Amino acid sequence: MEFYLKASLKTSADPAAGKEDIEKIMAEAENTILSKGAPAGEGAKIKSWSLGEKSIDIELTSGRYVRVHDAIMRLKKALAEPLGKAHKIGIRGLEAEVFTISVPADHDLKNKKIPYVKSVDFNDGTLLLTLDVGEAEMRNQVPDRILTLVEDKMEQGDYGAKAEHWNLLWESEDREFRYSEDPTEDMLKQGWLKRGAGRGQWIHGPVTTRLFRVFEQIVVDEILAPLGYDEMIFPKMVMWDIWKHSGHAKGIYPEMYYVCPPKTRDPEYWEDVMDYYKVTHEVPVEMLKEKIGDPIGGMCYAQCPPSWGFFQGETIANESLPITIFDRSGTSHRYESGGIHGIERVDEFHRIELVWLGTQEQVVETTKQLQDRYMHIFNDILDLKWRKAWVTPWFMAQEGIAGVAADEVTGTTDYEAPLPYRGPEGEWLEFQNVSINGEKYPNGFNVKSQSGEKLWSGCSGVGLERWTAVFLAQHGLDPENWPAEVQKRFGKMPKQVKFL
């Protein structure tokens, strides 16, 4: 890896008057300021330098350590003091004429548009990035982030079309299913639900709503109450700042529903829109685009990140750990990729989100307790055919990162169940997960413990649509064929609305 920078430090006067001081600093720089913090011989190098009429022109090269954009800032600072004090010459700014990064690579990044990169050339196993950056970008470490982004993209390219990491941990015994219909189509025929006006949205009638409440109460009785989880209400409109701290801002853009406020509440500003509708009975979408502000965030996408605003910047007392909380206060929204189908792939869905926070030992133990409770529910209450697997951590997948976490503890366990109507070799649906997120969120939101011990966290989302889809796909719509505990909790079939 090699960095190259050809730049000019712009001066307020001819720098020739300070040539002797400049020569001294340049002669010593490679052994002092340009090598500080780097292994021996790994600092930045001055390839050439010269004086212009009102500039100091410098060529720098470097490897991974003391990169050229850091090196030029160090030189600027070192030169500014003697030139200013002794010669009354100020350094007005910095202009980069040429800035390139050479990176070893196995393949090209074809058709990839990278911020602040003018061109990408691939030749003989090397990517040559030509950057378009100024002093502000160099000072803010933009070249470093460009390099990280390129490395991420190359890693994704190495994975190509491979599926995410998946390692089977446990699977229940095979069984025969007495029901083989698509439960969503069956529910539609029986009037249990109807499609909503929005994409991937359903209106649930009394029957499916009752089933949702049964599953919700099972979670309360079998998990939340025994394990001591306390209920909270997390925001469902999520601002950019939360997603920046959580890491989601790296990759959620194709899947989120955006929130844009009106530019003003002044009725006169909106009069033409209202008048247009009154005349045409059509909502003037194009007019609306001009009257709404920039996106301030989006609808709840992953339920746990907004909870961290409660803890952000705080130091938590030892006696409060571990913290175990949950939220069931509203819907989540995600623009599903590919074709949406039935109640299992929707854009608006209902979840109970569990979040826990503590020391590493506390988080690992809390996770184990939760996994044991899930196994009890799926085996003894819902009587499902299911399996669980160790997969790419959900937070890595949502940030566009392939593979597995660096340690053997942090990660996600997916719970999957077969859908019989898809056939004997058909689809397994992920209907539950449990994640240990390590230090990611405490670090991202600057949350500390009184003892100074590193904090970890975990989360688990109970998707009521997914539980319902799996349960009905395996047991059918006739309550008499449901497991006894579910029948007992469900009770008498609710009265349905009849349409003429």
Side-chain angles (χ1 to χ4, degrees), residues 295-311:
I296 58 174
M299 298 301 295
C300 176
Y301 168 88
Q303 214 164 328
C304 73
S307 71
W308 284 92
F310 189 81
F311 306 104

Side-chain angles (χ1 to χ4, degrees), residues 82-154:
L83 288 178
K85 283 185 176 180
H87 307 286
K88 308 303 180 184
I89 299 172
I91 297 180
R92 302 298 193 192
L94 165 63
E95 291 183 3
E97 184 178 337
V98 181
F99 193 146
T100 62
I101 307 176
S102 299
V103 187
D106 295 328
H107 52 79
D108 198 356
L109 293 178
K110 294 180 179 179
N111 303 319
K112 298 292 185 182
K113 293 183 179 180
I114 303 171
Y116 296 101
V117 175
K118 291 192 290 188
S119 65
V120 181
D121 298 305
F122 179 68
N123 187 38
D124 293 333
T126 299
L127 279 176
L128 180 66
L129 311 174
T130 302
L131 276 56
D132 182 12
V133 294
E135 180 175 359
E137 289 77 26
M138 286 189 275
R139 192 181 298 279
N140 291 327
Q141 307 299 314
V142 167
D144 294 327
R145 297 193 191 102
I146 290 172
L147 181 59
T148 300
L149 176 61
V150 168
E151 290 173 340
D152 287 345
K153 288 184 179 294
M154 286 194 293

Side-chain angles (χ1 to χ4, degrees), residues 275-324:
D275 289 347
Y276 185 93
Y277 181 81
K278 291 171 185 176
V279 171
T280 66
H281 286 188
E282 296 290 341
V283 176
V285 175
E286 293 300 320
M287 293 173 66
L288 290 177
K289 290 179 183 178
E290 302 298 321
K291 292 180 176 292
I292 57 177
D294 295 333
I296 58 174
M299 298 301 295
C300 176
Y301 168 88
Q303 214 164 328
C304 73
S307 71
W308 284 92
F310 189 81
F311 306 104
Q312 187 171 1
E314 299 286 358
T315 298
I316 299 175
N318 294 337
E319 64 191 66
S320 295
L321 299 174
I323 294 170
T324 50

Side-chain angles (χ1 to χ4, degrees), residues 394-416:
W394 72 274
F395 56 84
M396 289 175 60
Q398 290 181 357
E399 292 174 22
I401 304 172
V404 295
D407 59 70
E408 297 180 356
V409 181
T410 305
T412 294
T413 301
D414 271 358
Y415 294 72
E416 304 172 345

